[in-house]
Each structure stands twice: as C-alpha cells, then as structure tokens.
Amino acid sequence: MIESLLIANRGEIARRIIRTAKWLGIRTIAVHSDADAGMAFVREADEALPIGPAPARDSYLRQDRILEAARRSGARAIHPGYGFLSENAEFAEAVMAEGLVWVGAPPAAIRAMGLKHAAKQRMIAAGVPVTPGYLGDDQSPERLQREADAIGYPVLVKAVAGGGGKGMRRVERSADFAVALASCRREASSSFGDDRVLIEKYILSPRHIEVQVFGDSKGQVVHLFERDCSLQRRHQKVIEEAPAPGMDALTRDAVCQAAVKAARAVNYIGAGTIEFIADASEGLRADRIWFMEMNTRLQVEHPVTEAITGQDLVEWQLRIASGEPLPLAQDQLSITGWAMEARLYAENPATGFLPSIGRLDHLRLPDTLRIDSGVEEGDEVTPHYDPMLAKLISHGASRQETVHKLCDGVRKVEIWPVHSNAGFLVRALAHPDFLAGAVDTGFIERHAKDLVPPGKPAEAVLQAAATALLQKRSPDVWAMLAGFRLNAEIDRRVAVDVGKWPYLVQVNPAQATVRTENGVLFHDGEAWEFAAPRAGHSGYGSGSGDGAIVAPMPGIIIAVSVAEGDVVKRGQPLIAIEAMKMEQVLQAPFDGTVAELKACLGSQVVEGSLLVRIEGEG
Ligand code: ADP
C-alpha cells in the first residue's frame, strides 16, 4: 500500500479522501489556494502546501505547482478527486512520469472516453447498446439534415467535445434543424474549440441510470450496481439514489453487464461510471437503455453505492492503485436496502438559483444522516469554486424509509446568512410524484412552481417571529397571552419584520413551533431573519419596506440613474445590478428623496449590502 498521498482537490472530496487515507494509515498532503488556507480539509491533512491564488486556473489547475508540492512533501501518490484535473490525461501522464502513483483512470481510457462520438463508436464495436443516432465524419449540413430526418424527431444535436450540458440542442421538426445546427456549432466552437456534432434520437421520459464499475491491474472488472440520477436541474444532478426505482433483476443484469463490457473495452483500471439514458415511458426495460458516456473518475454521488454495498470506494481506489487486486469478486457483492443523497448548494432558489456567497455565520447539519461536507461554521463561501456545501446521505431498509429519513434530516438544516437550496430539497423529497418514484430528468422543470420556496414566510414562521418578539419584551409571554384569551378586547396583533418585510401577526401561541436563534428562524430548511419593526415603515403588509434598497444578489452595478437628494417617484428605476448574465433593475418603493447613495457604477457588491436609501415624504 502507498504510504503517502497528495490530494489535488479541495473541500468535501478532499476531506472524504483524507478520512479513508487516515484510516488506512496513509500520510495525507493537502494542497490549497490562498482563499482556502483556513478550510477544514487543510487542517485535517497531515501536511498542507499553498499552490497559488484563489482562481482555480492559478491553483487547483496548475499541474506544475501540484507536482512541485508532491516533490517537496515527498508524496508517493496523487488522488485527483473529481472535477479539476481528474479527467486530464496529460496530468495523469505527468504524475506517472514523476514516478508517482496516479489514483485515477489510465490516460488511454480517459482519452478513449473523452470525445462523445469516438466513445460511442467504440462502444458499438464492443456490443454496448448506444442511443440510435448519427456519429459520422461527414459533417455537411445536408448530410446531417438527412440523418436527422431519418432518425425521426425530436432529435438532440450534441457537440462531440461537449460537457456539462453545454453544446446541446433539442430539435422538434425538420424545418427547425438547420437553424439549431448552426447555433449548436457556434456554441461548440466557442466553448470547446471543436464544432463537430453528433445527432441522437431525443429520448422521451428520459431517466439517467448509471453503473459504478471498478477494474484492477490484473484485468478484472466488476460492477457495484446502478444509481438513478434523474433528478436534475439544467443537467446538474440534485438528488441521487441507489438502487433505481422500478429496476427489475433482468434489466439490472442487462445494464450492469453492458457497463462491465464498456469498461473492459477500454482496459479500465480504478473507479469509473458508465452513464446510460433510459426511455422510461413504459417503465425501465432492458431494450430501452443506452450508453451515454463514461466518467473516468470517482463520482460525487459515490456514497449511495457505498451505503447499499457496505464498501468504501476510496479504499478500493487506493488498494487498486497500489497494485492490489479488486477487494471483492462480483458474486461477493450485493445490495442491502436503499440509499439516497441530496446535494446542498449555496444558492438561492428564489433568485433563479444564483450562487450565494459570504460567511457561514450559522451552520447546523443533522446528526441523523451521513454528511460529507466541505465547510464548517465560520467558513467563507467564495465565488471561486463549485457552490456545493455538503452532501446529505440516508440509508434505510426501503425507499420510503430512506426518503423520509433524508427529508426529515434536510428539514433540520440551518444555514445563515448564506442562502441554500435546503427548502427546495425538502419540497422535492416530499413531492407525491417523487415519493411514488415517478422521476425523470424533466421532474424539476415540470414541478418548478411547487418546488421553489415562495418569498413569503409560512404562517408558522410568522407566529414564531411574533412570539419571540413578545418573549423579548416580557419573559412571561405565556401569561400575557393567556390574558389575551381571557379578554378578547385586547389586541393580540404583533408587528414584526420577517425577511425585511413588515407583517402584522395575529398571535396564536399553539402554532409557534419553529426554532429561533439570534434573530433568525429556521423552518424546513429555510432561514428567515426577523426583527421588531424599524422606524419609517410605510405600512404593514404593503410590501414597500423602509426605503432601504439592498443588493438582492452578489453582482456588479451596471447603472445608477439617481443622485443623493433626488426626488423620486414610486416605481422609478434607481440602480441596475448584473450577476451571472442576469440583470435586475431596482426601483423606488415609494415616493420620496434619495437620502443615501452607496452604489457606484462598475463596483462589485455583496448580497444584502445597502445600495440606496429612500426617505418618504412627510
Ligand atoms: P454532458 O456531457 O454535457 O453532460 P450528456 O450527453 O451526458 O452531456 O447529457 C447530459 C444530459 O442530457 C443527460 O443526463 C440527459 O438528462 C440529457 N440527455 C442526453 N442525451 C439525451 C437524449 N438522447 N435524449 C434525451 N435527453 C438526453
């Protein structure tokens, strides 16, 4: 077994790898950007070396600096985690050229699976079912049009070098094909420097089924069953589970055998995932599951496979990289129960899932679940990296038990002031269609209205805020409220600001069951700030606030159309802010005067910072 390991990654996956390496008695070396110097993975490694400034291209993607850190620390092996350099064949070769052990896929396998059309041609030759389509070299628009017409609409045009859901166009009918092709090519050439495309039949009711495989240096390959990752938002996985709902033994055998064949075809060594797309319009069927692509690395969602098989996949990776054979043979592997993972992101569902950054002043994650987290309370969420905060994983005897356990756990998530998708996850996990296992890749888009938490607090939240304020005023609030009941004449209404908006709440102490802490309320994964009403409010429930206009998201000020002292009318545009190519115009909430102007053109602002304050007339 290797005796020391450098982890060329950060956050959650770096901690995950360190955990197993420590248990195996392997010395761990972290590398980190300047922005990550204080993070948990840096503290938890036996040794840590800085490799450059915050942007990934200056640190985590700098092959030379990572190799230099390996030399300096005397590391014997490098684990790339996922993302960053994990599927970079040149880096794998450079690591091995240094005489180090590469805990990743063989460079030849990474290359073979790198381009979609070449990978698919190879799979067809190996006898793996591939989505019906056109993978040819003739890229003339006339030929592509003819092929699309022959496949039958809808079709999907995909850039052969595409990834991350980019460079794909769904085309509904022959007449739209030429325009879609041209636009797909433009995107492919600007994003990937390669404008070649392939055409596939568009699968209706598509489900994303993937199979975990492992190969060793003796040429043995096993599978560790399937995962269902159909719950996606814009082709990004959100909730994953294993096994796949509705998978029967025959279909499982077919898809898992196809995955083993695929891995063998590229002489695979280490952890890999074969992704398939299934037409689930009539349930899962062996003749309607097709190869999509292979990920030549460990996957984010590997914990659900660990839970149902009882195996540690990082341990498997380290043993195989050290030259040991596969820890178990195929007939020693079986499925126990059900497992599900939810990805907790620092993002705000209410603003179209814009990433949310800032300090995690308050962070509580449930102790009833397996938590693979990259952050701790007090850590900073920076705009430089993936916004995933943690993975929450449940394991139970049945799917129903597993979903309920996960949902209950996510309800207890408390994060403030950074926004998270916890409330969104709770709604997805509690949705009747999800509970029934009726998921496909269109689920989130179809149910968006039910899943995105409304900007308005629930009654339970208002009750809790009002009760907490009463308690502050008089510790013996229950006696006070009992008094209310005796005398109906007394006003039981309490004015309170929740989420910066004023409300007048009819207090009913029986309903106040929400946890409150330091002016924040936590309810079903969502966080609400509350306070006694501030002076200057122009009316409860009117939604006009106190005239303080704060940045609704982190971004750049792209227009300022007022100056201090200006008289403004309600609805008049004041400032425009842009983030992630989205523009938002902030307007005057009421007639008044610009009392303060903090925003200046071109400046970067953090979410919640005061931009302008309007004082009402009179
Ligand atoms: P990328 O490499 O950009 O992630 P993929 O080829 O893996 O692209 O596809 C991404 C997602 O697009 C899949 O998970 C699936 O949801 C959807 N998809 C891909 N191919 C098809 C298809 N033929 N029909 C319907 N949906 C598809």
Side-chain angles (χ1 to χ4, degrees):
M1 177 67 82
I2 49 172
E3 70 277 9
S4 57
L5 176 69
L6 182 145
I7 297 119
N9 214 300
R10 63 179 301 281
E12 171 267 327
I13 186 58
R15 290 180 92 184
R16 165 73 192 86
I17 295 164
I18 290 170
R19 197 161 72 225
T20 293
K22 286 212 158 159
W23 171 72
L24 290 170
I26 299 170
R27 183 167 71 94
T28 55
I29 299 118
V31 290
H32 64 87
S33 70
D34 296 343
D36 281 345
M39 298 288 280
F41 76 95
V42 173
R43 287 195 300 278
E44 289 166 8
D46 295 313
E47 198 180 330
L49 295 167
I51 48 165
R57 65 174 178 280
D58 300 326
S59 49
Y60 297 106
L61 291 172
R62 282 291 295 264
Q63 306 188 17
D64 55 338
R65 293 197 181 148
I66 294 167
L67 291 173
E68 173 57 26
R71 272 177 230 125
R72 272 179 33 215
S73 61
R76 285 289 305 121
I78 294 188
H79 193 312
Y82 34 68
F84 296 136
L85 296 168
S86 61
E87 292 180 284
N88 185 312
E90 290 76 48
F91 183 59
E93 281 164 351
V95 169
M96 291 189 276
E98 288 270 330
L100 301 175
V101 173
W102 167 247
V103 191
I110 298 177
R111 288 207 175 91
M113 291 299 188
L115 287 175
K116 288 183 200 289
H117 68 314
K120 284 184 171 151
Q121 275 156 351
R122 198 148 176 164
M123 291 302 113
I124 292 170
V128 176
V130 168
T131 325
Y134 173 72
L135 307 167
D137 290 331
D138 184 350
Q139 292 278 314
S140 67
E142 301 74 32
R143 174 71 186 272
L144 293 169
Q145 173 91 52
R146 269 205 313 281
E147 294 289 345
D149 292 350
I151 294 164
Y153 294 88
V155 298
L156 200 58
V157 184
K158 284 188 188 179
V160 302
K166 255 194 172 167
M168 293 203 290
R169 293 288 184 285
R170 178 179 164 162
V171 189
E172 297 299 331
R173 41 193 194 119
S174 185
D176 300 339
F177 185 81
V179 173
L181 173 66
S183 123
C184 184
R185 280 209 157 135
R186 270 195 305 276
E187 185 173 311
S189 109
S190 73
S191 299
F192 313 110
D194 183 341
D195 76 350
R196 287 175 297 166
V197 297
L198 58 86
I199 305 169
E200 272 178 14
K201 175 138 198 79
Y202 188 86
I203 309 300
L204 298 167
S205 305
R207 270 173 67 180
H208 177 117
I209 306 282
E210 59 181 38
V211 177
Q212 176 72 56
V213 293
F214 262 93
D216 67 15
S217 53
K218 319 276 184 288
Q220 306 179 77
V221 178
V222 294
H223 68 81
L224 284 82
F225 311 103
E226 82 281 4
R227 296 183 284 258
D228 188 320
C229 311
S230 298
L231 213 94
Q232 306 181 349
R233 199 181 69 76
R234 298 209 183 133
H235 304 303
Q236 297 281 348
K237 296 164 188 168
V238 181
I239 295 171
E240 302 104 337
E241 61 187 299
M247 179 71 86
D248 62 55
L250 263 175
T251 310
R252 170 170 302 129
D253 194 54
V255 70
C256 291
Q257 289 313 325
V260 168
K261 237 189 234 177
R264 278 194 208 287
V266 292
N267 303 315
Y268 202 72
I269 302 176
T273 291
I274 319 287
E275 297 191 333
F276 294 88
I277 186 161
D279 169 354
S281 51
E282 294 175 291
L284 291 177
R285 287 174 36 171
D287 59 348
R288 294 199 188 164
I289 302 189
W290 300 281
F291 170 88
M292 200 157 48
E293 67 174 341
M294 177 171 192
N295 291 323
T296 49
R297 52 173 165 80
L298 192 68
Q299 299 274 98
V300 176
E301 58 274 23
H302 74 276
V304 295
T305 300
E306 295 188 318
I308 60 158
T309 59
Q311 300 301 310
D312 179 327
L313 300 196
V314 175
E315 179 188 351
W316 278 50
Q317 286 191 295
L318 293 170
R319 290 197 183 284
I320 289 164
S322 303
E324 293 182 25
L326 287 169
L328 293 177
Q330 193 66 64
D331 60 6
Q332 294 173 300
L333 288 158
S334 58
I335 298 177
T336 304
W338 212 283
M340 197 172 281
E341 171 183 285
R343 299 190 189 189
L344 186 65
Y345 284 108
E347 63 185 13
N348 190 351
T351 58
F353 295 89
L354 288 177
S356 178
I357 55 175
R359 214 179 93 102
L360 292 162
D361 287 335
H362 180 91
L363 175 69
R364 296 273 189 288
L365 299 175
D367 54 14
T368 50
L369 301 173
R370 167 174 168 182
I371 307 281
D372 281 18
S373 149
V375 293
E376 297 197 323
E377 192 169 86
D379 283 349
E380 196 80 32
V381 181
T382 71
H384 303 294
Y385 314 110
D386 186 275
M388 192 172 79
L389 295 172
K391 303 183 302 203
L392 286 69
I393 305 114
S394 69
H395 185 207
S398 65
R399 183 170 190 268
Q400 201 185 10
E401 183 189 320
T402 306
V403 181
H404 285 144
K405 211 162 134 185
L406 184 58
C407 193
D408 282 352
V410 181
R411 280 184 204 279
K412 296 198 188 89
V413 168
E414 300 180 1
I415 301 181
W416 182 261
V418 173
H419 292 286
S420 87
N421 64 338
F424 172 80
L425 291 172
V426 167
R427 286 160 192 268
L429 291 166
H431 195 283
D433 285 1
F434 183 80
L435 292 172
V439 286
D440 59 50
T441 59
F443 179 91
I444 288 181
E445 226 175 301
R446 209 161 47 241
H447 299 295
K449 199 164 71 340
D450 301 334
L451 302 180
V452 174
K456 221 174 122 51
E459 180 61 22
V461 171
L462 294 178
Q463 287 292 332
T467 310
L469 279 192
L470 280 180
Q471 250 163 341
K472 225 169 164 181
R473 268 180 234 154
S474 154
D476 200 6
V477 60
W478 306 113
M480 263 173 71
L481 289 170
F484 286 166
R485 248 182 245 121
L486 290 176
N487 186 347
E489 298 292 298
I490 295 177
D491 194 356
R492 288 179 176 192
R493 291 177 306 167
V494 176
V496 59
D497 283 3
V498 179
K500 298 194 174 70
W501 298 112
Y503 292 90
L504 201 52
V505 182
Q506 187 83 21
V507 178
N508 176 356
Q511 288 187 20
T513 54
V514 179
R515 218 178 86 74
T516 64
E517 179 160 321
N518 296 331
V520 185
L521 285 159
F522 297 101
H523 177 65
D524 283 357
E526 287 168 46
W528 296 95
E529 196 175 22
F530 74 98
R534 281 167 293 176
H537 270 151
S538 56
Y540 296 108
S542 68
S544 53
D546 63 356
I549 316 280
V550 300
M553 56 190 181
I556 290 170
I557 303 296
I558 54 167
V560 178
S561 35
V562 287
E564 258 175 41
D566 279 5
V567 173
V568 292
K569 287 269 173 232
R570 176 163 187 255
Q572 182 175 333
L574 306 172
I575 279 167
I577 178 169
E578 189 199 76
M580 315 286 293
K581 304 221 173 333
M582 263 181 60
E583 185 182 314
Q584 196 169 341
V585 176
L586 306 173
Q587 302 167 337
F590 42 71
D591 295 355
T593 313
V594 179
E596 270 182 275
L597 180 66
K598 297 282 189 200
C600 51
L601 195 62
S603 66
Q604 181 98 37
V605 292
V606 299
E607 183 183 336
S609 58
L610 179 71
L611 303 177
V612 54
R613 193 169 57 77
I614 308 296
E615 247 163 37
E617 290 155 346

